[in-house]
Amino acid sequence: MTTLTSPALRSTAIPLRNRWKGRWMLAVALLHTLYAAVVFPTQLQEIVRRGVFNSVQKDPAVGAVVWFVLFGVLFALLGWAMLLIERNAALAPVPLRGLGAGLLALTALGIVLMPTSGFWLALPPALALCWPPKR
């Protein structure tokens, strides 16, 4: 049985210079969530004031902030998964073009709907995932 630290797995790992996508996505997710805390403290405090459960109700401002924060968390989870895949390429040898295409489609839609937003920051890893890895 092979362990994660075996030389066989390490020899097939993605070179360090190509392992930036997961870290990039985690950094963007962190910036996204910190931005929410700085720009939307009133809405976040209102959620707590309302007791969290069913606190959004029909308030569009609070609902938008909830989606903003949840998208940051989701992007962090995706970045974390990408980081694990990059570190352990032998465990996931399948091409990630499908993931890249989906992220690119979501990013493009976000850019079209909100050109002056942070969606541009998701473009580098999305494009990088669409290109085949160099051998």
Side-chain angles (χ1 to χ4, degrees):
M1 180 170 172
T2 308
T3 64
L4 288 177
T5 58
S6 75
L9 287 179
R10 270 189 262 128
S11 66
T12 59
I14 298 171
L16 187 59
R17 70 180 180 282
N18 295 333
R19 290 190 295 172
W20 59 271
K21 295 174 286 300
R23 288 189 301 253
W24 178 284
M25 294 166 73
L26 283 169
V28 169
L30 178 65
L31 284 172
H32 195 268
T33 307
L34 289 175
Y35 181 85
V38 170
V39 175
F40 305 114
T42 306
Q43 290 85 355
L44 294 170
Q45 290 167 356
E46 185 63 19
I47 290 169
V48 173
R49 189 191 69 71
R50 292 177 182 175
V52 180
F53 181 76
N54 198 25
S55 59
V56 173
Q57 299 162 2
K58 294 183 180 182
D59 187 338
V62 173
V65 171
V66 166
W67 277 106
F68 195 91
V69 171
L70 291 178
F71 189 82
V73 172
L74 180 62
F75 205 68
L77 291 171
L78 182 59
W80 184 28
M82 190 70 236
L83 186 68
L84 293 173
I85 289 169
E86 288 176 330
R87 284 184 181 165
N88 301 295
L91 299 177
V94 292
L96 297 172
R97 284 191 206 131
L99 177 63
L103 184 58
L104 184 59
L106 179 67
T107 301
L109 179 60
I111 289 170
V112 167
L113 293 172
M114 297 183 289
T116 57
S117 70
F119 274 104
W120 294 94
L121 294 173
L123 204 52
L127 291 171
L129 286 167
C130 289
W131 265 272
K134 293 179 182 178
R135 296 283 170 188

